[in-house]
Amino acid sequence: MDSDTTATRSSASPRERRRADRRRRLRRDWPLLLMTAPAILVLGAFHYLPLLGNVIAFQDYSPFVGILNSPFVGFDNFQRLFGDPAFWNATLNTLYITAFQLVFYFPVPILLALLVNSLLSARIRLFIQSVVYLPHFFSWVLVITLFQQMLGGAGALNTFLRQQGLTPFDVMTNPDTFVLLVTAEGIWKDAGWGMIIFLAALSTVNQNLYEAAAVDGAGRWRRMWHVTLPALVPVIVLLLIMRLGDALSVGFEQFLLQRGAVGADASEVLDTYVYYEGVVNGDFAYAGAAGLFKGVVGLLLVLGANKVAHLLGEEGVYSRR
Amino acid sequence: MTVVSEPTAARRGPRRAGRAAWEEEPGPLGKAAKAVLVAAIALAVLFPLYVVVLTSLSPQEAITRAGGLVLVPDGLSLAAYQEILSGGVVTRSVLVSTGVTLVGTLFSTTLTILAAYGLSRRDSYAHRPLLFLVLLTFLFGPGLIPTYLTVQAFGLLDSYASLILPTAVAAFNLIVLRSFFMNIPQEIMDSARIDGASEFRILGTIVLPLSKAVTAVIALFYGVGYWNAFFNAFLFLDDNRKWPLQLILRTYVLEGIPIPGAGPTDTVAGGPVPTLAVKMAVVVIAVLPVLLVYPFVQKHFTKGVIIGAVKG
Amino acid sequence: MRRTPHHTWSRRSFLSALGAGAALAATSPLLTACGSRPGASPTGAVSDPDAMGAVLPNHVPVEFVAPDLPGRLGAAPGYLSYPAQLVRGVPDAPGTGGEVTAMTPAFWPIPPADNDYYDAVNERLGARVRFNIVNGSDYAAKLNAMFAGDQLPELTVIPDWDVPPRFGEAVGTVFADLTEHLAGDAVEKYPMLANLPTRAWAYCVRGNRLFGVPTPAELFAVTSFYRHDLFEELGLAPPTTADELRALCEQITDPNRNRWACGNLFLDVKRMFGVVPGWSRESSGRLVNEAETEGFREALTFMRALFADGHVHPTVAGSNTGQEKELFENGSMLMMVDGLGSWHEALARQLPGNPAFDMRPIPPFSHDGGDPVYFTEEGASIATFIRGDLEPERIEELLGILNFCAAPIGTEEHYLVNYGVEGVHSERGEGGSPQLNAKGSREVTFTYGFLGAPPPSIAQAQYPGYVQARYDWEVAAAQYKVSKIDEGLHIEEPPRLTSLEQRLDDQIQDLLRGRTPLDQLDSIMDRWRSDGGDELREFYDDALSDVGR
């Protein structure tokens, strides 16, 4: 009896303590919750509510019949998706391009920010800062047209080569170097825009640390390594994780526009696959299933990367308990 | 009370108009390499930009002779800009876009700042599940038709609010802003709390002043998003009078997008209108406001904003 | 510039030229009812031929001004000048003074929402038409959303390529059945609609009922054009056989002079080798897909060689950014496939700066110099649908409005709908041709013109020689016209098989561009057959046999 009560008390008391602790925190933190509420409400109303519509992934959906009345078909759409070798090809292609771009594209905005930041002339720095992001606002049609005009078979480079009696080479139609091409196009279009967030991060570096480091005899590179980079790391890690969450998206129009030139084998990514298999045919349920797949993979990658970040002592997207 | 002191370097006029006293003279080789690199980057951006602007100002004959984009000046013509700006449709849409962008940016940035701060305290109540909810919206997007039905259910079809509310909070921006907030030394905030400052006060007097740069960047992201958005507009608006600029400009560049539904345009108007020039003029018009706004964002990219902040 | 609804086929050609033809083809056939078994008969999509005859409106031609070049063999008539004297074709205002809502796509900048052109037309209509104009590229998405939200206007223009999925299931519940109003001699109440050719109406028959009012299409959509002016300069003549085409390419291509022979001609090369687009029956009666035919193999081999030997302009080969027109017009590419309607648009663009500019369609020819074949398009590819919940009187009023908009050349209504008010929106130019002025170009876009349209005619008399050349080509090609086996049928493929064509097309593109060896064609087709091609064949065979084709 006695022992029983003790056991009850000892097992209840941590729970009670937790509850009490929660109450205490709620009392303390309600202003924070109040601040968070508007954003959560907006997301709830305009994101989560329509997100319920994603149940069409489990339906034989027709817009005329509606979500409520379309018949449920279980995992049929997923079975069709996973049973299609072309789907896996597209997924692998996408992951390959993502991996390639993580290595060769992702660091570029960081390096660009460091370069711009290290410029001594204020005028040149401001000028570079003000123009380098502009290609972000060009459409893919325009970006590819510009690349065509420079590197295409009838472009400036090959016209020059022909005039010199050399053999022209056309990178615009070479499937083997396609990943290089799309990465180069992507860097040219968006690296400058991506730089902006790192510039913001650089602005939070404590200047006194530089001076202190310099006084300690640290050279240019060591200062960058020991002062600048540590300030950037949290942002870099965060953006890296967010990029992983988007790992199955590498762009759409860029690939659609160059599909004929290099062929579907090289240019089929998940988004173009879904487009041709689902969207074009109005097969919303199939496209919905693919969307869910993308989200789940993204979620797993984010959680995994977040865990790795924690192991390395970084904050990541959100902290562990 | 915590005092946030002003950075010394940032207030010294155009900042770092030279080297700091402790900085060493760069070597000639490093200098040259950097100069070449910077010149290459500038050229890679400026030359295409020049081509776009030049083409937008070229008459049809010049475009025909060039067989596309014009690289060498060959006559100038404002026809493309006249074509776009005449008739009042664009003028009206500029007003719509400006209004939506201003209101939307203010609304979104406010909501995002509040939520980013609200979720930034490491041990605060329910912050993990809430943050997870936010993160999920980054990973899972709702479909077009359910979004339409939702906006319809709220009675917002054909309203300007439909251009703002559905995309008012971007998880990416929220998470990035929160991460910056979290990197502010906690001691500053803790001491303010001990001093009895309310959370709103801490946000307004400590966190925001220390996060000017990233807040400006987030506002820029939202602003650019609203300015460039056309998707909400075509989906939710039935009245052409309410169209924002980007949707109007989109009608000028339909040709050449091999996406079903995007037919080649007919000739734009009665005369020999240089269609490629019009397309390039559209690019210029779309970029122009960003060029105008960016310096105000850039202003905050000053170094050392945070120094000397910690004080008990 | 008059905006004819030519984008129907320009888009088709455009996409095909990009190798995205399958994407388009996949959009147009309606999906079958949910969960239909492969090989099952299509559900109510294909009309019984006898029943179809019963729902079709009578054809009662009206002609207000006799054409200089009368339409022959189904080809459009030509007017060497725009009629000077106009007749009032619709004496009474069809509207009853209220507001009419309508939705149309636009492939051009939208007009101001309130303008004098709308006012002028509305006054004659006796109704205020309020247009919801949507960019052509966003139209399908908007339509789908509006269907789901039950937000349709009274009049909805739906182009063939934007027809929502499973339309066949829904058309009867969403849109008004017009059979009672238009079948047989009922149509004679609307003389301008009675003037529309029967093959255009056939497009509007679904499940033996009549839905929508068609915009009649031209007989042919696309063909190969060549630069007549530059050919003459170089002493070249358009080809009459495959060998000549090839030799011509050899003569033209010269990268050092920035000159290439052609764009992607595959669409017309297939025609040259007599390939029937889509499905056709062999002499044995067996149904075959175009890619299974011997002609296709020859066409593929031919076009592949043009790519391999560098005759296709590298910019065309290198991306889908749609620069073919610019390269053709500036003379760096001398032959291209394009829509027939782009012809006079190019003239409008080029003649002011280059009066010698002259492009022509290659005269009808086949690979071996024998009789060529030219496959005709569907009788219509755009239709205006009336919402289903309206009272019969309202439907009649709306049909009256469509009737007004479909008034043919020679009527005041035709001028008003297409060129606005003379003196305000347009002036008469060369050959009496109406030319939109600055105000006209802003306000007069294709809006009412989408709601209803007369049978096509060639009347751009302001370009010297154009009407005659266009007319001559169409009549010449019409001598060899052949209908596709599924013309006028809305066959709905099983959803599972709709993507098959895109995959095949990807592989055909690889063969064309030399990315896979030519001898792979057989194994590609074997795989296509086992992946569902044979099922598709059975499916089409059933659907076509049902209607006796």
Side-chain angles (χ1 to χ4, degrees):
Chain A
M1 199 35 123
D2 208 346
S3 65
D4 230 336
T5 17
T6 323
T8 320
R9 197 182 299 144
S10 64
S11 74
S13 75
R15 201 187 304 149
E16 263 168 25
R17 219 180 303 141
R18 265 204 305 277
R19 206 177 292 150
D21 176 53
R22 253 202 308 260
R23 266 201 301 276
R24 186 184 57 76
R25 282 196 299 149
L26 183 57
R27 251 200 317 279
R28 184 193 70 184
D29 292 337
W30 67 264
L32 294 176
L33 291 172
L34 192 68
M35 289 165 132
T36 316
I40 297 288
L41 280 180
V42 166
L43 288 177
F46 293 98
H47 207 102
Y48 276 95
L49 208 56
L51 206 56
L52 295 177
N54 282 17
V55 299
I56 63 169
F58 304 94
Q59 289 184 331
D60 182 24
Y61 172 73
S62 158
F64 296 106
V65 181
I67 296 169
L68 295 179
N69 297 318
S70 290
F72 278 88
V73 292
F75 285 88
D76 276 11
N77 290 310
F78 292 92
Q79 254 165 21
R80 212 177 111 210
L81 196 65
F82 298 146
D84 185 355
F87 162 77
W88 293 112
N89 275 340
T91 304
L92 285 180
N93 247 358
T94 311
L95 287 174
Y96 169 63
I97 294 170
T98 296
F100 189 89
Q101 296 196 341
L102 277 178
V103 177
F104 293 101
Y105 178 169
F106 187 80
V108 176
I110 304 168
L111 298 175
L112 201 57
L114 291 174
L115 176 70
V116 166
N117 201 51
S118 75
L119 292 175
L120 289 185
S121 154
R123 214 176 310 150
I124 293 181
R125 187 179 53 239
L126 284 178
F127 176 72
I128 291 287
Q129 268 184 33
S130 321
V131 296
V132 80
Y133 67 86
L134 285 173
H136 173 73
F137 295 92
F138 291 3
S139 66
W140 276 115
V141 179
L142 179 54
V143 171
I144 292 164
T145 305
L146 287 165
F147 268 74
Q148 184 78 254
Q149 207 109 359
M150 293 300 125
L151 304 175
L157 175 67
N158 281 320
T159 305
F160 173 78
L161 288 178
R162 262 191 293 268
Q163 277 162 1
Q164 304 303 308
L166 300 166
T167 334
F169 65 95
D170 190 350
V171 293
M172 302 298 288
T173 54
N174 188 343
D176 301 327
T177 56
F178 184 61
V179 65
L180 282 172
L181 178 68
V182 287
T183 305
E185 289 167 351
I187 287 175
W188 183 74
K189 187 176 191 291
D190 284 327
W193 185 246
M195 169 194 79
I196 291 176
I197 194 82
F198 294 107
L199 285 181
L202 282 172
S203 75
T204 63
V205 179
N206 187 338
Q207 289 300 287
N208 293 345
L209 294 179
Y210 283 115
E211 198 166 347
V215 170
D216 286 350
R220 192 171 295 281
W221 292 104
R222 291 199 46 173
R223 285 201 305 271
M224 186 179 281
W225 188 255
H226 290 292
V227 182
T228 315
L229 269 183
L232 286 185
V233 162
V235 192
I236 294 175
V237 169
L238 179 74
L239 293 187
L240 199 56
I241 296 175
M242 296 300 269
R243 179 68 195 93
L244 282 175
D246 228 5
L248 289 180
S249 309
V250 284
F252 171 67
E253 212 186 336
Q254 187 188 10
F255 293 86
L256 204 62
L257 286 167
Q258 303 186 79
R259 188 182 180 90
V262 297
D265 278 348
S267 69
E268 184 86 290
V269 292
L270 197 55
D271 284 344
T272 53
Y273 168 84
V274 171
Y275 173 75
Y276 282 117
E277 293 289 321
V279 181
V280 167
N281 301 331
D283 195 344
F284 298 104
Y286 196 68
L292 281 184
F293 170 75
K294 270 172 70 171
V296 169
V297 171
L299 181 61
L300 291 176
L301 286 172
V302 166
L303 294 180
N306 204 45
K307 182 76 66 197
V308 172
H310 291 163
L311 292 177
L312 298 175
E314 286 298 327
E315 185 79 37
V317 177
Y318 66 93
S319 45
R320 71 208 124 150
R321 192 105 236 173
Chain B
M1 188 60 225
T2 304
V3 179
V4 178
S5 71
E6 291 301 337
T8 43
R11 295 292 140 171
R12 215 189 287 142
R15 62 179 189 62
R16 267 180 90 198
R19 245 168 306 114
W22 43 266
E23 229 169 331
E24 60 277 63
E25 173 89 29
L29 208 66
K31 247 182 174 168
K34 205 190 261 182
V36 169
L37 195 57
V38 168
I41 292 171
L43 196 68
V45 174
L46 290 179
F47 182 67
L49 205 63
Y50 151 83
V51 170
V52 168
V53 173
L54 181 62
T55 307
S56 77
L57 290 168
S58 292
Q60 178 64 48
E61 302 90 76
I63 289 169
T64 300
R65 269 192 292 275
L69 297 173
V70 183
L71 307 186
V72 185
D74 184 11
L76 287 180
S77 153
L78 286 172
Y81 291 92
Q82 282 164 354
E83 165 70 25
I84 294 171
L85 298 176
S86 70
V89 177
V90 166
T91 336
R92 195 193 163 93
S93 71
V94 167
L95 289 178
V96 173
S97 281
T98 309
V100 167
T101 303
L102 287 178
V103 175
T105 306
L106 193 68
F107 183 69
S108 292
T109 311
T110 308
L111 256 58
T112 305
I113 289 172
L114 285 175
Y117 179 72
L119 296 173
S120 69
R121 188 164 174 177
R122 265 168 234 272
D123 62 343
S124 77
Y125 184 81
H127 81 279
R128 291 184 84 242
L130 287 175
L131 190 62
F132 194 68
L133 275 181
V134 173
L135 180 66
L136 282 185
T137 65
F138 175 74
L139 299 167
F140 296 91
L144 172 148
I145 289 176
T147 307
Y148 181 87
L149 296 177
T150 307
V151 170
Q152 185 186 3
F154 282 113
L156 294 175
L157 285 185
D158 223 14
S159 72
Y160 290 123
S162 72
L163 305 185
I164 295 176
L165 283 173
T167 44
V169 177
F172 180 86
N173 290 349
L174 206 167
I175 289 170
V176 166
L177 192 60
R178 172 181 174 272
S179 145
F180 273 80
F181 286 173
M182 293 191 73
N183 287 328
I184 297 172
Q186 286 288 315
E187 311 88 76
I188 311 178
M189 282 171 263
D190 288 342
S191 58
R193 285 188 186 111
I194 291 167
D195 288 350
S198 73
E199 297 294 348
F200 285 91
R201 197 184 160 85
I202 296 170
L203 173 61
T205 56
I206 300 173
V207 175
L208 278 184
L210 289 176
S211 312
K212 273 188 199 152
V214 68
T215 310
V217 168
I218 295 297
L220 174 75
F221 286 177
Y222 276 124
V224 164
Y226 280 116
W227 183 259
N228 282 339
F230 65 87
F231 190 82
N232 285 347
F234 90 72
L235 198 58
F236 303 132
L237 299 184
D238 287 341
D239 186 348
N240 295 137
R241 267 170 286 231
K242 293 178 180 160
W243 277 19
L245 178 66
Q246 288 300 332
L247 199 53
I248 300 282
L249 291 182
R250 203 169 144 73
T251 62
Y252 288 93
V253 292
L254 285 171
E255 189 177 29
I257 306 166
I259 294 172
T265 47
D266 207 321
T267 40
V268 175
V273 171
T275 46
L276 188 65
V278 167
K279 285 184 213 167
M280 293 306 118
V282 162
V283 175
V284 174
I285 291 172
V287 165
L288 221 52
V290 185
L291 263 179
L292 293 179
V293 168
Y294 189 73
F296 293 99
V297 176
Q298 184 162 265
K299 201 175 70 184
H300 298 288
F301 292 162
T302 46
K303 286 177 196 168
V305 177
I306 205 168
I307 49 166
V310 190
K311 200 175 164 290
Chain C
M1 193 71 286
R2 190 178 158 221
R3 296 178 175 86
T4 44
H6 70 274
H7 41 267
T8 346
W9 38 254
S10 345
R11 206 184 83 86
R12 192 179 289 260
S13 66
F14 188 59
L15 284 168
S16 311
L18 295 167
L24 178 81
T27 11
S28 29
L30 308 164
L31 303 176
T32 35
C34 39
S36 76
R37 288 166 295 114
S41 300
T43 48
V46 180
S47 301
D48 185 282
D50 304 327
M52 189 157 157
V55 303
L56 285 172
N58 289 351
H59 186 211
V60 188
V62 287
E63 200 172 78
F64 291 89
V65 175
D68 304 297
L69 312 165
R72 288 204 292 129
L73 303 164
Y79 292 83
L80 295 171
S81 62
Y82 192 90
Q85 290 301 316
L86 301 176
V87 183
R88 180 159 290 213
V90 183
D92 302 318
T96 53
E99 190 171 82
V100 172
T101 54
M103 183 161 94
T104 67
F107 300 86
W108 39 78
I110 63 162
D114 302 294
N115 66 56
D116 295 337
Y117 165 68
Y118 286 173
D119 291 345
V121 183
N122 287 344
E123 197 192 322
R124 283 288 325 267
L125 284 175
R128 251 187 5 268
V129 182
R130 199 160 56 80
F131 285 104
N132 174 7
I133 303 175
V134 180
N135 283 347
S137 51
D138 309 326
Y139 204 66
K142 176 89 179 180
L143 265 181
N144 275 314
M146 289 180 98
F147 275 122
D150 209 3
Q151 291 278 313
L152 288 174
E154 289 175 296
L155 297 170
T156 308
V157 174
I158 307 186
D160 182 34
W161 58 89
D162 288 331
V163 166
R166 303 179 168 190
F167 192 61
E169 295 169 34
V171 65
T173 54
V174 179
F175 291 120
D177 181 344
L178 302 177
T179 317
E180 301 303 320
H181 297 274
L182 296 172
D185 53 12
V187 75
E188 287 166 30
K189 204 174 152 195
Y190 312 100
M192 307 307 174
L193 298 183
N195 183 38
L196 304 184
T198 307
R199 60 188 295 271
W201 284 111
Y203 171 80
C204 290
V205 179
R206 287 170 197 270
N208 298 327
R209 305 299 289 177
L210 194 64
F211 293 98
V213 172
T215 293
E218 288 163 12
L219 213 48
F220 307 109
V222 296
T223 193
S224 305
F225 285 94
Y226 70 101
R227 281 290 298 269
H228 188 70
D229 49 342
L230 299 179
F231 267 47
E232 297 220 305
E233 227 172 80
L234 297 167
L236 305 170
T240 60
T241 63
D243 289 342
E244 282 185 30
L245 177 54
R246 199 171 155 91
L248 205 51
C249 289
E250 305 280 356
Q251 282 172 280
I252 294 170
T253 301
D254 186 351
N256 291 323
R257 296 185 178 188
N258 189 30
R259 196 175 66 212
W260 280 267
C262 57
N264 188 351
L265 300 181
F266 192 47
L267 200 72
D268 202 44
V269 166
K270 284 194 286 184
R271 186 211 52 77
M272 176 175 85
F273 282 98
V275 179
V276 187
W279 296 91
S280 59
R281 289 203 187 277
E282 285 179 327
S283 49
S284 67
R286 181 170 174 270
L287 203 61
V288 288
N289 187 276
E290 62 170 74
E292 295 178 290
T293 60
E294 196 48 40
F296 187 87
R297 184 190 302 271
E298 289 173 57
L300 182 65
T301 313
F302 184 88
M303 193 64 219
R304 177 184 163 106
L306 293 192
F307 268 108
D309 298 346
H311 295 309
V312 178
H313 195 287
T315 301
V316 176
S319 66
N320 299 354
T321 46
Q323 294 177 83
E324 285 201 316
K325 284 181 206 295
E326 274 127 20
L327 297 168
F328 179 73
E329 286 169 25
N330 105 319
S332 35
M333 186 174 95
L334 267 50
M335 290 180 279
M336 76 179 292
V337 168
D338 205 353
L340 279 160
S342 63
W343 186 354
H344 68 78
E345 286 167 23
L347 295 177
R349 244 186 332 261
Q350 294 302 327
L351 284 179
N354 176 12
F357 180 87
D358 192 358
M359 64 187 273
R360 304 261 178 97
I362 298 178
F365 74 113
S366 74
H367 66 112
D368 58 0
D371 277 355
V373 283
Y374 280 81
F375 293 95
T376 54
E377 295 297 314
E378 290 281 334
S381 53
I382 302 176
T384 304
F385 293 85
I386 297 179
R387 205 171 62 209
D389 60 354
L390 304 176
E391 297 300 322
E393 302 79 55
R394 182 62 169 174
I395 292 176
E396 278 166 29
E397 181 183 348
L398 295 174
L399 284 173
I401 288 171
L402 305 189
N403 178 62
F404 181 99
C405 297
I409 189 167
T411 60
E412 292 174 1
E413 293 79 12
H414 182 266
Y415 192 103
L416 180 65
V417 163
N418 290 285
Y419 309 104
V421 178
E422 189 170 350
V424 177
H425 297 104
S426 55
E427 276 88 37
R428 297 294 194 113
E430 195 84 22
S433 286
Q435 310 277 323
L436 292 177
N437 56 25
K439 182 180 170 67
S441 338
R442 273 199 303 277
E443 298 185 353
V444 185
T445 65
F446 220 67
T447 46
Y448 297 96
F450 264 128
L451 299 182
S457 57
I458 310 166
Q460 288 79 10
Q462 64 269 41
Y463 311 118
Y466 165 76
V467 173
Q468 186 75 51
R470 167 98 188 251
Y471 174 84
D472 288 346
W473 185 87
E474 282 198 21
V475 171
Q479 288 167 26
Y480 306 110
K481 71 174 174 184
V482 178
S483 314
K484 282 170 254 184
I485 192 164
D486 57 347
E487 186 171 300
L489 308 174
H490 300 279
I491 298 180
E492 308 175 333
E493 285 183 15
R496 218 166 41 77
L497 299 177
T498 44
S499 58
L500 209 57
E501 197 168 345
Q502 173 63 33
R503 298 208 187 160
L504 180 59
D505 193 66
D506 284 336
Q507 288 170 315
I508 301 286
Q509 287 299 322
D510 288 343
L511 287 166
L512 267 182
R513 316 286 184 111
R515 287 189 290 261
T516 35
L518 199 54
D519 55 25
Q520 295 274 303
L521 178 60
D522 288 326
S523 59
I524 286 173
M525 290 318 295
D526 282 341
R527 207 169 327 126
W528 174 81
R529 275 185 283 265
S530 60
D531 279 354
D534 278 334
E535 269 177 63
L536 211 50
R537 181 196 328 277
E538 225 175 283
F539 171 81
Y540 271 96
D541 205 6
D542 287 350
L544 291 166
S545 307
D546 281 354
V547 294
R549 290 198 194 171

